[in-house]
Amino acid sequence: MTLRGTVSYRERLALPPSAVVEVKLLDVSLADAPARTIAETRIPVGARTVIRYSLRFDRARILSRRSYALRARITDGDQLLFINTVRHAVFAGGANNTDIRVEPVAATAPAPPQAAALSTPSGQWLAEDIRGGGVIDRLQTILTIAPDGTVSGTGGCNRIRGKATINGDAIAFGAIASTKMACSPAVMRQEQRFLLALRDVRAWRIDSARRKLTLIGVNGAPLMVLAQM
């Protein structure tokens, strides 16, 4: 079977001739494990800002009661240029969300003069991506880090509180306590993914121009991308 859609970006940039779009169909059912690739395709970008794709997959690998999503990236060799920051769920009972908008992962313009440069993970942050599986539209998963390392916020359903230890560009989150409310299964799954990702964080990186915080795991892979609120 085949999924068809588009990958697009807003920035009017002249991308390198070697840039390619990568679209993957992922099994994102397990909150505490990396997403599993079901199918993927790669397409040269060329001069286009809207790239059409066809993604062939084995229908027998799509199982009931599991969660699937599309991930799109634009790369140039080993350099990641764009990635989707919104979850694109498929096979979830409604229309498949196959038209994917990707966002730049590096600064493409200087920060506005009035915006102070970011040099610390302290502040209030909104999760845009968790473990490459995106997040639910209109659900706010918020992480607040105080200058003394006190952690608060919400996983999307329950309030959280804990402590982070920050040493240079290293960061580790201690035990996170949360309230005990119950929400819809999808909300609870995202909250669990968020909390498990925090447990695995070992470092942080700031994109000051785009006001983004990336939390990084032990192997250097991004675990979570958050936007300043």
Side-chain angles (χ1 to χ4, degrees):
M1 297 187 70
T2 304
L3 285 171
R4 294 182 174 85
T6 61
V7 176
S8 62
Y9 59 94
R10 291 177 180 171
E11 287 72 14
R12 298 297 178 180
L13 300 176
L15 297 184
S18 52
V20 297
V21 170
E22 173 192 275
V23 182
K24 288 187 176 183
L25 172 60
L26 302 173
D27 182 337
V28 295
S29 304
L30 300 179
D32 57 349
R36 185 166 59 92
T37 300
I38 302 297
E40 63 182 291
T41 186
R42 292 168 60 88
I43 310 143
V45 175
R48 298 168 291 175
T49 58
V50 179
I51 303 96
R52 296 190 177 278
Y53 68 88
S54 297
L55 184 60
R56 295 181 61 84
F57 64 96
D58 181 357
R59 188 67 178 85
R61 298 186 67 185
I62 307 303
L63 307 177
S64 61
R65 298 186 179 180
R66 298 190 71 87
S67 298
Y68 300 90
L70 292 170
R71 184 180 72 190
R73 309 193 306 170
I74 298 179
T75 61
D76 180 30
D78 294 332
Q79 183 181 8
L80 178 62
L81 303 177
F82 291 79
I83 193 169
N84 63 294
T85 58
V86 175
R87 184 184 181 94
H88 286 260
V90 291
F91 316 133
N96 290 330
N97 191 4
T98 59
D99 292 323
I100 308 170
R101 175 84 68 181
V102 292
E103 304 290 344
V105 298
T108 57
Q114 70 272 19
L118 296 174
S119 58
T120 169
S122 298
Q124 189 174 54
W125 306 92
L126 176 66
E128 292 188 341
D129 180 77
I130 302 173
R131 295 189 189 270
V135 292
I136 299 172
D137 294 346
R138 298 180 296 280
L139 176 64
Q140 290 198 326
T141 294
I142 297 170
L143 176 66
T144 301
I145 305 174
D148 67 355
T150 298
V151 173
S152 59
T154 174
C157 179
N158 288 284
R159 302 293 301 176
I160 64 168
R161 190 162 185 84
K163 193 78 173 181
T165 301
I166 305 169
N167 183 11
D169 62 359
I171 183 171
F173 292 86
I176 301 293
S178 70
T179 55
K180 301 298 183 182
M181 294 188 298
C183 295
S184 70
V187 172
M188 298 306 291
R189 281 195 297 269
Q190 176 164 310
E191 183 166 279
Q192 184 72 355
R193 289 172 59 226
F194 170 64
L195 295 173
L196 290 171
L198 288 181
R199 183 193 64 184
D200 294 340
V201 168
R202 297 295 181 270
W204 61 273
R205 181 174 64 241
I206 291 280
D207 184 336
S208 186
R210 297 179 55 235
R211 324 299 285 180
K212 306 278 187 180
L213 168 67
T214 301
L215 298 178
I216 301 164
V218 67
N219 60 354
L223 295 178
M224 198 180 314
V225 179
L226 306 101
Q228 187 183 40
M229 299 184 69

